[in-house]
Amino acid sequence: MPHLLSLIREDVANVVEHDPAAKSRLEVFLCYSGLHAVWFHRMNHWLWNHRLFLLARMLSQAARFLTGIEIHPGAKIGRRLFIDHGLGVVIGETAIVGDDVTLYQGVTLGGTGKEHGKRHPTIEDNVVVGGGAKILGNITVGKNCRIGAGSVVLRNVPEHSTVVGVPGHIIFREGKRVVITDPKQINDPLSEALASVANEVNKLRERVQQLEGSEVKGEPLSESLQRIMEDVDYQI
Ligand SMILES: CC(C)(COP(=O)(O)OP(=O)(O)OC[C@H]1O[C@@H](n2cnc3c(N)ncnc32)[C@H](O)[C@@H]1OP(=O)(O)O)[C@@H](O)C(=O)NCCC(=O)NCCS
């Protein structure tokens, strides 16, 4: 590992540049457990690649005990990974993380439990993953994406997108707001239930209209419902 020291210098400089809370290089070097975990990982990954699997696993467990961050030694990590706060971060064996990625505390780059082989996500360069977000399965999060805190991402995310929610859905792409025109696009069981209830209500309105021979006069729509009706093509 000839470059380890220069990589450490680069990691520290990166944090000093990007974290407003960082006061000095010495503080970053001594106190940022996210960096300590990455440095341990570089060593463990080297051991893993040299088929010293058990030693690599034991040292990664020791790193987990010391930092609260679990990175499997098989994971491929790019340069300048910044794990901010870090507690509870889990990175699986076949995960690939690009350069200049930021992960906050509680992030999981995990498997769904249904796949074999490459079963953890690929995170491309310059992605920010918010606190507690779960990115699961052999999916790819494209360059320059932002994943909202608490999201659960189960599908590929195209470059330059912002994803939020459970399950995660795109709200910004290439800097523009993405309007969901059909609640089913969110692929959320609750949305489907709401969509089918809305369809039923529509049918009933039409039926009542037919029976009464005039337009049904109901309560005025609530403000939030009005906003949905204006924003989306999907008609409730
Ligand atoms: C996803 C994120 C990057 C979006 O930031 P942004 O581009 O400034 O977007 P906005 O704050 O304008 O939010 C846009 C919409 O998404 C919603 N939203 C934002 N973050 C969300 C989240 N994590 N989960 C669900 N919805 C979210 C907002 O309520 C808003 O909805 P609306 O337009 O219907 O009112 C940001 O909210 C986020 O989660 N960052 C992670 C920060 C983090 O984890 N910090 C840890 C520090 S310790």
Side-chain angles (χ1 to χ4, degrees), residues 85 104-105 130-131 146-150 162-165 171-172 177 227:
H85 308 294
Y104 286 100
Q105 70 280 0
R146 292 184 306 158
I147 308 298
T162 301
V163 169
V164 300
I171 53 162
F172 291 109
R177 184 78 197 225
R227 221 179 65 193

